[in-house]
Amino acid sequence: MSVFVVGSLHLDVVLSAPHLPRLDETVTGTSVDYVFGGKGGNQAVAAARLGADVAFAGRAGSDGFGDMLRAALRQTNVDISQLQKDDGPSGMSAAIVDAQGEYGAVIVSAANMDIDAAAIKIPAGTRVVLLQNEIPQEVNMAVAEQARAVGAQIWLNAAPVRDVPDVLAEMLDLMIVNRVEACAYAHPAVPTLETRGKDGVIFEGVNIAGYPVSIVSAHGAGDMFVGALAARVAMGQTIAKAIPFAQAAAALHVSLPLSERARLNAEKTAAFLEAQSNR
């Protein structure tokens, strides 16, 4: 396997509304969708759709949401032989998307907090290990130590914000944060990539512009970027050279309705990227 993702699974309940509610306000929505999610699951599926061989380790519950999560993963090319099952509820989130495509969300971690790190084994041939902060810190630490022992790159999508111990930071090959999260971390020796939505990314002190598109929903854009970036690096590209492809994948993602996003693949992303370069 080229990319190994250890992370969260959430069943996202996505509500469309004219605007996000203010304190004490009830807003009448226009639609609801039940969407496969969680940073770990999203990034694993994105990397697979963008051409990488991907394995995933995480935990889903024994409830109906867990059944939906497992069914969604079985429809992908992701190896889920290390997907654990919990006796309790699955992780979930509730997201509200406004008329401009911006959103706010609340997550409930549930089964994601009970991942058994001792049961996780990095597959042979893994080049990039992806971690996030939606799972326990001790799981990230244990997997990072394994990854270092086998020589795989270790990436941490440090979201949501929480302390990253120095011992973990010292093992990282890349920390990926958004503009809000970037202000919360102080590990100057860790290579950092800052995603800034429509304003592009900052990597190695260079601001790389994004691609202008009409936004249907920004929900999941960061995960698409991370998964696409990991896919290209696992295939041999440097991070710097892989960034435009990852930006193109994220741009396409936000411009598509939820019902069409599963058809986004490497070929469509490459075609979009070529069209942008010819403008």
Side-chain angles (χ1 to χ4, degrees):
M1 294 295 172
S2 298
V3 178
F4 185 46
V5 182
V6 181
S8 57
L9 289 172
H10 296 134
L11 200 288
D12 294 339
V13 182
V14 183
L15 308 172
S16 297
H19 62 267
L20 302 185
R22 297 180 290 273
L23 185 65
D24 296 329
E25 180 186 17
T26 298
V27 177
T28 300
T30 57
S31 67
V32 59
D33 291 284
Y34 295 87
V35 182
F36 174 88
K39 284 189 172 298
N42 282 342
Q43 291 171 16
V45 170
R49 286 178 180 156
L50 273 299
D53 292 327
V54 182
F56 174 81
R59 194 172 183 92
S62 57
D63 55 358
F65 278 6
D67 293 340
M68 294 169 73
L69 290 167
R70 283 182 285 271
L73 280 167
R74 291 189 187 103
Q75 293 174 10
T76 72
N77 291 322
V78 176
D79 177 349
I80 58 170
S81 58
Q82 297 193 62
L83 175 60
Q84 302 169 14
K85 187 172 183 179
D86 195 271
D87 290 335
S90 300
M92 60 87 65
S93 78
I96 301 175
V97 181
D98 69 16
Q100 287 71 48
E102 300 298 330
Y103 76 98
V106 176
I107 66 171
V108 178
S109 297
N112 294 296
M113 292 294 100
D114 294 323
I115 293 172
D116 181 3
I120 296 173
K121 180 176 176 58
I122 295 178
T126 296
R127 299 188 67 175
V128 177
V129 172
L130 272 180
L131 306 170
Q132 323 85 36
N133 282 351
E134 289 184 344
I135 60 176
Q137 193 81 272
E138 57 268 25
V139 176
N140 281 344
M141 288 288 299
V143 174
E145 288 170 356
Q146 268 199 64
R148 184 170 63 173
V150 301
Q153 288 192 38
I154 306 165
W155 294 9
L156 173 66
N157 182 197
V161 171
R162 72 180 180 198
D163 179 56
V164 176
D166 290 342
V167 65
L168 175 58
E170 290 168 2
M171 289 190 279
L172 299 179
D173 295 284
L174 184 67
M175 181 184 289
I176 304 171
V177 293
N178 65 22
R179 69 184 84 199
V180 174
E181 295 148 4
C183 300
Y185 295 108
H187 295 287
V190 180
T192 300
L193 189 154
E194 179 183 339
T195 63
R196 301 173 63 85
K198 64 182 180 182
D199 296 323
V201 304
I202 298 176
F203 181 63
E204 296 182 332
V206 178
N207 192 346
I208 305 166
Y211 300 108
V213 292
S214 297
I215 297 175
V216 174
S217 168
H219 187 243
D223 293 336
M224 174 55 68
F225 175 89
V226 173
L229 187 73
R232 301 305 278 190
V233 171
M235 288 182 231
Q237 283 194 324
T238 65
I239 292 171
K241 288 188 178 298
I243 285 172
F245 182 88
Q247 287 179 304
L252 276 175
H253 176 86
V254 302
S255 70
L256 293 172
L258 293 177
S259 60
E260 296 180 22
R261 290 179 175 179
R263 292 193 283 273
L264 201 164
N265 57 27
E267 291 73 21
K268 291 180 180 179
T269 303
F272 173 87
L273 187 59
E274 183 177 1
Q276 292 297 312
S277 65
N278 292 332
R279 295 181 69 174

